[in-house]
Amino acid sequence: MTQRSVEDSTSASSKPNIVLIMADDLGWSDLGCYGSEIRTPNLDKLADRGVRFTQMYNSARCCPSRAALLTGLNPQQAGIGHMINDLGVPAYQGYLNDNCVTIAEVLKTAGYRTLMAGKWHVGGEQGNLPEGWHPDMLGYPSPKGRGFDRFYGILSGGGSYYNPNMLMDDLTRISIDTTDYHFTDAIADKATQFVDDAIHRDEPFFLYMAFTAPHWPLHAWPDDIEQYRGKHLQGWDETRMNRHETQRGLGVVDPSWKLSPRDSGVLPWDEAPDKEWRDLQMAVYSAQVEQVDRGIGQLMAELEETGEADNTVVVFLADNGGCAEFLAEDSPAPDPSRYNYPTVDGRVVRTGNSPSIDPGPPDTFASVDIAWANVNNTPFRLFKHYTHEGGISTPFIISWPDGVSEKGSIFNNPAHIIDINATLLDIAGAHYPTTFKGKDIKPAEGESFAKVLSGSDWERDKPIAWEHEGNRAVRIGDWKLVSEIGDPADPESKAVWELYNIRDDRTELNDLIDGERDRATAMIKFYNDWAERCEVEDWENPGFTLRPKLGTITRHNHGGGPVIAARLGPRRELPTPE
């Protein structure tokens, strides 16, 4: 097929299909084309046919990232500043509000058939809906109620892959009665079926394929696990160094950036006990990642066989960085009782990370843990939850054979998850509304980077800002201001701002705030103005009583001195501008 420009593609007869794929809790370095030893041939092929971004940012956590991706707004503007629990204020109500519009709702107005398979997680607390009820009956948004013609998946967050909770087929709740079921495979199967049906219709299609893998629990097929058993016995230190070297060779990191030190909560591999069990943790995780890749390959094969691949835009990203948490998906503290239910064949689930329990089977519920999460985010610091680079950086691939002029290229300018929404609407020729179903819609925040596909340069006009659980950041040009919330277990601890030149130091090891006070003050003012406009809460304000307890994750040291004021006694602080 001949190559078409973005402008040409928006005519009624040639609008491209769009496939938007999101992985869950995948680290920045977990794909082969971003430096991993894990096999991801299908995603690597998409990268070869498309563009890889090295500085695409998400919103640090499952629900906020999904809200931002679907609406093109900052999460707080869409009503999901935290998770699906209602914190009592509109910006943190835990479900999409009526003043935002989903990408599915907008694309339907442009003639698209809209499909979703996977994890919703932007519709409030729905885990205890009565049988026969669906969310829209109670005023909570479901995919069917927010623009999707077809939906198969779960409404809430992480859970068993063999027996997922709140599994829905459109508006019908379904249960699993077979032991050969795995949710990752089911997402791929349903997505492929949806696409096969859509291809035989007149309109283009939009598919949102929202995997839950490789989010905990560590659940993978035995044959897949065995392919990786023993592959990580060299340990997390050597694996991080190997990934970093591979990243340098691929050109996705600057050779001058130092690999961040091993997280302070992690033992050196030489001192770690239970090495074979630790290797098995990573074997199951790797199997989960490869299973996602295999599902994407299944979908791509369908597109190839039907002749639709060249005119299909495929986008891949993750919702946050690698995950060091365990059993705290929608709450600030782990709750094992939430997952202590029988398997399909009646076995009791053994919950926890213990060398006495081999992860992988349906009767286990374990996580990859902090040490391997540190590997997943190579070469960056910190994890999911946080607004340091390890928490908000995602691998990002956009492939479109008919629309990408420099296939296999790497794009290094920063972009944000809200820009993906704007870009896909731009490519589709869809118009973002000012009103929808009688409601005023908040203006879109994202900026289209569609011109990157034709080989043109692009830079964001506006700065990027983040807030999640009191962790904050601002990105303006090459500079990033970032703050980790103080440790609630230590009353003397409080958040402090750090400042980094990301072009020179993306691993955030050289805090320049002492020598750049004017710059930092201006960036703090921008953050405060943004926070007020987006109704961001101050999590350290005693009046905001639902601040989470983050003791479930170790505190962190980046090698250049502690980042929490309490560890040093009084520490430098900038005045907050009025």
Side-chain angles (χ1 to χ4, degrees):
M1 299 178 69
T2 58
Q3 182 168 301
R4 295 193 293 269
S5 69
V6 169
E7 291 79 7
D8 292 339
S9 74
T10 59
S11 67
S13 62
S14 61
K15 285 186 177 183
N17 307 308
I18 299 172
V19 175
L20 176 58
I21 307 170
M22 175 171 272
D24 198 343
D25 287 8
L26 182 88
W28 191 78
S29 72
D30 279 333
L31 306 184
C33 55
Y34 281 82
S36 179
E37 70 291 339
I38 302 172
R39 291 184 293 269
T40 55
N42 296 294
L43 283 164
D44 297 347
K45 182 178 179 180
L46 286 173
D48 289 340
R49 301 175 66 178
V51 183
R52 269 173 296 169
F53 282 46
T54 61
Q55 294 193 68
M56 176 61 76
Y57 290 114
N58 51 45
S59 294
R61 193 92 176 273
C62 307
C63 303
S65 286
R66 283 166 170 73
L69 181 67
L70 287 168
T71 67
L73 300 175
N74 293 295
Q76 296 85 356
Q77 294 175 301
I80 308 182
H82 185 235
M83 298 293 281
I84 60 171
N85 44 319
D86 189 345
L87 302 190
V89 291
Y92 300 80
Q93 68 182 23
Y95 55 92
L96 296 177
N97 59 38
D98 291 334
N99 300 114
C100 67
V101 62
T102 71
I103 187 171
E105 289 170 322
V106 180
L107 287 175
K108 278 182 71 68
T109 68
Y112 276 76
R113 181 162 177 78
T114 55
L115 315 163
M116 180 182 171
K119 173 178 173 178
W120 181 234
H121 216 202
V122 288
E125 297 181 86
Q126 304 170 1
N128 296 314
L129 282 179
E131 289 291 339
W133 288 63
H134 59 78
D136 301 295
M137 291 178 176
L138 301 179
Y140 288 123
S142 73
K144 291 284 289 183
R146 294 307 301 253
F148 287 95
D149 296 315
R150 293 300 312 274
F151 169 62
Y152 174 87
I154 58 173
L155 297 174
S156 56
S160 172
Y161 287 82
Y162 303 104
N163 188 19
N165 185 36
M166 290 299 295
L167 183 62
M168 307 286 289
D169 190 346
D170 286 335
L171 294 176
T172 301
R173 187 170 176 178
I174 57 178
S175 58
I176 303 303
D177 58 6
T178 176
T179 57
D180 61 356
Y181 178 94
H182 194 289
F183 190 41
T184 299
D185 293 340
I187 290 171
D189 290 344
K190 274 293 184 179
T192 304
Q193 291 172 23
F194 287 166
V195 165
D196 179 65
D197 173 73
I199 286 170
H200 293 90
R201 299 170 182 263
D202 292 334
E203 66 265 50
F205 67 82
F206 166 68
L207 169 68
Y208 177 36
M209 194 179 188
F211 287 100
T212 53
H215 190 294
W216 49 259
L218 294 172
H219 279 169
W221 296 120
D223 289 348
D224 288 339
I225 296 170
E226 288 305 312
Q227 295 295 318
Y228 286 98
R229 193 187 290 268
K231 300 294 186 183
H232 292 90
L233 281 173
Q234 78 273 21
W236 38 71
D237 295 320
E238 186 172 332
T239 302
R240 287 187 83 227
M241 289 189 291
N242 290 342
R243 286 194 180 190
H244 191 221
E245 284 304 308
T246 302
Q247 291 168 341
R248 287 174 165 174
L250 291 170
V252 295
V253 302
D254 189 312
S256 68
W257 297 340
K258 295 180 180 178
L259 175 65
S260 63
R262 179 195 325 106
D263 190 271
S264 61
V266 179
L267 288 172
W269 177 255
D270 290 344
E271 300 175 18
D274 307 305
K275 288 182 171 59
E276 290 189 1
W277 174 70
R278 290 294 190 183
D279 166 76
L280 180 58
Q281 283 182 308
M282 194 58 178
V284 183
Y285 180 89
S286 300
Q288 288 180 296
V289 174
E290 183 170 349
Q291 191 176 7
V292 167
D293 183 82
R294 188 165 63 229
I296 293 169
Q298 175 182 327
L299 177 70
M300 294 307 300
E302 174 72 16
L303 293 173
E304 294 282 356
E305 290 169 9
T306 57
E308 291 291 329
D310 286 352
N311 192 37
T312 299
V313 181
V314 181
V315 172
F316 177 88
L317 75 157
D319 60 352
N320 42 246
C323 176
E325 68 166 23
F326 184 46
L327 299 182
E329 179 56 59
D330 296 314
S331 62
D335 181 7
S337 66
R338 293 173 57 205
Y339 306 99
N340 190 22
Y341 52 88
T343 64
V344 170
D345 55 3
R347 287 175 288 165
V348 175
V349 172
R350 297 167 291 158
T351 302
N353 294 345
S354 169
S356 66
I357 303 173
D358 283 356
D363 64 341
T364 67
F365 213 103
S367 74
V368 76
D369 229 334
I370 186 172
W372 292 119
N374 202 188
V375 173
N376 303 150
N377 295 331
T378 304
F380 304 132
R381 292 173 48 203
L382 298 187
F383 315 96
K384 170 182 178 177
H385 293 269
Y386 298 97
T387 51
H388 286 74
E389 293 293 285
I392 57 176
S393 298
T394 173
F396 179 78
I397 301 166
I398 181 166
S399 175
W400 181 18
D402 276 0
V404 172
S405 61
E406 297 180 14
K407 295 176 175 59
S409 60
I410 296 174
F411 183 73
N412 292 311
N413 288 347
H416 189 258
I417 193 169
I418 56 179
D419 301 329
I420 301 170
N421 182 292
T423 302
L424 296 180
L425 294 182
D426 185 8
I427 290 172
H431 300 290
Y432 186 92
T434 56
T435 61
F436 190 76
K437 293 184 177 179
K439 302 289 186 180
D440 291 333
I441 300 300
K442 294 177 182 178
E445 296 276 335
E447 301 178 23
S448 172
F449 54 76
K451 63 188 298 185
V452 172
L453 306 183
S454 60
S456 300
D457 196 19
W458 174 82
E459 291 187 13
R460 251 186 149 263
D461 289 332
K462 298 177 183 177
I464 305 170
W466 295 262
E467 181 276 323
H468 183 65
E469 293 187 337
N471 300 300
R472 306 166 290 174
V474 175
R475 178 73 190 267
I476 301 179
D478 292 337
W479 293 87
K480 180 182 174 188
L481 186 78
V482 61
S483 173
E484 178 185 349
I485 194 168
D487 186 350
D490 185 345
E492 299 300 318
S493 170
K494 53 186 174 181
V496 294
W497 288 108
E498 308 161 38
L499 183 67
Y500 300 98
N501 186 310
I502 296 298
R503 181 179 293 274
D504 297 337
D505 174 32
R506 194 172 171 202
T507 49
E508 299 172 306
L509 301 179
N510 185 22
D511 184 355
L512 300 175
I513 200 163
D514 279 342
E516 295 279 352
R517 294 181 67 84
D518 290 345
R519 183 188 304 277
T521 299
M523 293 178 76
I524 292 171
K525 183 179 188 308
F526 175 87
Y527 176 84
N528 288 342
D529 291 344
W530 172 85
E532 182 176 1
R533 180 171 66 84
C534 296
E535 300 180 56
V536 171
E537 291 290 336
D538 180 359
W539 290 72
E540 293 196 314
N541 183 340
F544 190 57
T545 58
L546 291 176
R547 174 185 174 192
K549 298 176 182 178
L550 298 180
T552 56
I553 301 178
T554 59
R555 309 312 295 164
H556 305 282
N557 184 315
H558 58 83
V563 299
I564 297 175
R567 288 180 172 172
L568 290 176
R571 182 179 172 178
R572 59 191 184 277
E573 292 187 75
L574 294 174
T576 300
E578 297 296 329

